[in-house]
Amino acid sequence: MTDEARTTALREQVRSLMPQAKTDLAQLVSYRSVADARQFPPQECHRAAQWVAEAFTELGLSDAALHETPDGSKAVVARYPAPAGAPTVLLYCHYDVQPPLDDAAWHTPVWELTERDGRWYGRGAADCKGNIVTHLTALRALRNTVGGKDYPVGITLVAEGSEEQGTGGLEAFVPGHADLLRADALLIADCGNFAVGVPTFTQTLRGNVNVLVTVETLSGPLHSGMFGGAAPDAVAALIQLLATVRDEAGNTTIAGLAADQVWDGAQYPVDRFRADAGVLDGVELLGGGTVSDMLWARPALTVLGIDVPPVVGSAAAIQPSARARLNLRIPPGTDPGAALKALTAHLESRAPWGARVRIDTEATGSPFRSGTGGPARAAMDAAFAAAYGRPTTTQGQGGSIPLCNVFADTYPDAEIMLIGVEEPKCLIHAPNESVDPGEIERMALTEALFLASYAG
């Protein structure tokens, strides 16, 4: 079969499989697989994991099993042995999802896949259950078109169950089970394209440092009428402290962290970013660099949450303590240990009025940069071009996937590529998450073409 004939056959096969893809995604979205037993029953994650194992077993992958990882989550692993002389490809995804956040902010049912204006809505529709369905659709198309019951390459599927919680289950599992997951090329399907219809390699990932900062000023709450004005207010102290992490332009300003790096890849147009991010009219973007600089090349600190008395039920009292959860994103080239040290020193040295500050480390993750050469990358680049009808581009991503560094350390000779269906309109981690079914179709075709051509 010629390359053109194979592309045409796979394209038609993928298109015919899209109703099945929708059915698969609807089933996956129905599982409330948030890996936090405080919010959702653990059985929901187990049901999702079992469904994934059974779905890939039906496609000819054997040895499917749920492996317990050190954080208690289950990693689904299923394998197809490589034919003689053929390489092995690892297909990564995760079946756990973010909590829905504000249920009232959703325009469609959170756990029910709903089609609206050409997109499919539901928690996990894109991140990352849409990528699970992409893997399934690609393998179905490849099996039906090229190999019958066989595949031209070895395949290892790994789907983890605690990626969104950042508790490191699979990261801790991989080094001790290196042979189980060993592969020549690793497709990390937990990223996405620069925009719908624009084939994209995610070249870099920012790392992260999460801390809890607690400010204490008093031994107990005080009446604001009797003591306000002289008694140090912990909430006000925390506000002043948090204000020091950015300058007037919005640049993150933490002593010891470089903040003037420049992104040398694809540039994110300002108008498109404002639309993608839903920035309100008249509100300015942050920072002194380009959008791409601020997203992918420079550190960025975000206040994720604050523990203070809520407005409803609050009293006329000066608070003795307040707490905030901070997330510092760091670009490639920045060590997370050094970033944690710099952030800690910054916060401890800038507490107003001698307030006591305690910093508790919640999690750290290293940034990542993937390679740009090699036969797998060349095959994927050609597959992208054939599936999308246009050349590929590259981008960075603000998200962190610590597993990538574990894979790179464990398999130094393997090629790692970050791809997926999660383009900006998906609103991953937010209410009203959705996926463009056209992206699932094109990405499934890309993956099928890659697996067929990489075998050679």
Side-chain angles (χ1 to χ4, degrees):
M1 183 182 293
T2 66
D3 289 347
E4 183 177 355
R6 182 172 60 193
T7 298
T8 299
L10 282 171
R11 189 185 302 277
E12 292 174 352
Q13 185 62 222
V14 169
R15 184 171 294 121
S16 73
L17 289 168
M18 286 306 293
Q20 179 65 50
K22 186 177 184 180
T23 299
D24 289 344
L25 189 55
Q27 184 62 60
L28 280 168
V29 167
S30 74
Y31 299 126
R32 299 177 297 162
S33 51
V34 178
D36 185 345
R38 298 169 300 179
Q39 302 182 73
F40 293 94
Q43 294 88 337
E44 290 291 300
C45 279
H46 183 80
R47 292 172 63 206
Q50 193 63 46
W51 188 95
V52 171
E54 292 173 359
F56 283 92
T57 297
E58 290 175 2
L59 288 177
L61 276 66
S62 60
D63 301 326
L66 275 58
H67 297 263
E68 184 162 353
T69 71
D71 69 357
S73 65
K74 299 293 195 300
V76 181
V77 179
R79 299 189 295 175
Y80 178 87
T88 295
V89 177
L90 182 142
L91 307 178
Y92 167 87
C93 50
H94 64 85
Y95 61 83
D96 69 306
V97 297
Q98 284 281 331
L101 300 179
D102 182 4
D103 285 16
W106 284 78
H107 304 315
T108 62
V110 177
W111 307 107
E112 180 182 329
L113 192 70
T114 304
E115 185 167 358
R116 181 176 178 180
D117 298 328
R119 297 182 68 92
W120 296 346
Y121 285 79
R123 175 54 90 216
D127 184 19
C128 176
K129 292 173 178 178
N131 289 309
I132 297 175
V133 170
T134 295
H135 288 326
L136 285 170
T137 306
L139 294 182
R140 284 196 184 102
L142 190 63
R143 201 178 193 206
N144 294 346
T145 305
V146 177
K149 292 185 178 181
D150 299 321
Y151 295 106
V153 295
I155 296 168
T156 298
L157 178 280
V158 58
E160 70 171 309
S162 61
E163 193 276 341
E164 298 293 8
Q165 296 304 309
T167 47
L170 191 58
E171 291 100 284
F173 178 85
V174 169
H177 300 79
D179 288 340
L180 179 69
L181 302 177
R182 192 176 304 280
D184 301 284
L186 287 72
L187 302 189
I188 310 300
D190 191 19
C191 294
N193 290 333
F194 186 70
V196 172
V198 180
T200 307
F201 289 104
T202 295
Q203 202 67 40
T204 65
L205 298 170
R206 286 197 290 195
N208 68 289
V209 173
N210 278 19
V211 301
L212 299 175
V213 53
T214 302
V215 175
E216 297 176 308
T217 57
L218 300 166
S219 60
L222 297 172
H223 191 292
S224 61
M226 296 176 64
F227 294 94
D233 180 345
V235 175
L238 177 63
I239 291 170
Q240 287 206 27
L241 179 59
L242 296 180
T244 69
V245 300
R246 292 183 183 272
D247 62 19
E248 292 184 358
N251 296 291
T252 296
T253 51
I254 297 172
L257 294 184
D260 58 357
Q261 300 96 317
V262 175
W263 175 255
D264 59 2
Q267 292 299 311
Y268 205 145
V270 171
D271 289 346
R272 180 188 296 174
F273 177 78
R274 292 185 68 92
D276 289 344
V279 180
L280 300 180
D281 291 344
V283 177
E284 299 177 359
L285 300 186
L286 301 183
T290 67
V291 171
S292 295
D293 295 340
M294 303 305 296
L295 293 180
W296 305 323
R298 300 182 182 183
L301 191 139
T302 301
V303 180
L304 300 181
I306 299 179
D307 285 339
V308 297
V311 171
V312 177
S314 57
I318 303 169
Q319 297 302 314
S321 65
R323 186 172 69 156
R325 184 178 182 224
L326 308 183
N327 169 238
L328 175 64
R329 298 286 179 171
I330 52 176
T334 301
D335 176 73
L340 173 61
K341 184 177 180 180
L343 177 59
T344 300
H346 179 102
L347 295 171
E348 291 178 340
S349 66
R350 287 164 173 78
W353 319 318
R356 296 180 184 178
V357 173
R358 186 179 77 248
I359 310 297
D360 296 310
T361 304
E362 186 179 59
T364 63
S366 298
F368 176 78
R369 183 184 297 275
S370 68
T372 58
R377 174 72 175 238
M380 182 61 77
D381 192 62
F384 260 136
Y388 280 79
R390 58 183 296 172
T392 58
T393 188
T394 60
Q395 67 176 357
Q397 189 178 85
S400 175
I401 308 176
L403 180 64
C404 289
N405 289 289
V406 175
F407 277 146
D409 292 340
T410 307
Y411 312 115
D413 297 326
E415 294 184 63
I416 301 175
M417 293 175 285
L418 287 78
I419 59 174
V421 300
E422 302 164 23
E423 41 79 26
K425 292 183 178 179
C426 291
L427 296 180
I428 64 174
H429 293 204
N432 301 304
E433 178 181 353
S434 68
V435 67
D436 185 320
E439 287 293 86
I440 292 179
E441 182 175 343
R442 287 183 288 268
M443 284 303 307
L445 175 58
T446 299
E447 189 170 302
L449 288 169
F450 164 75
L451 293 172
S453 62
Y454 183 48

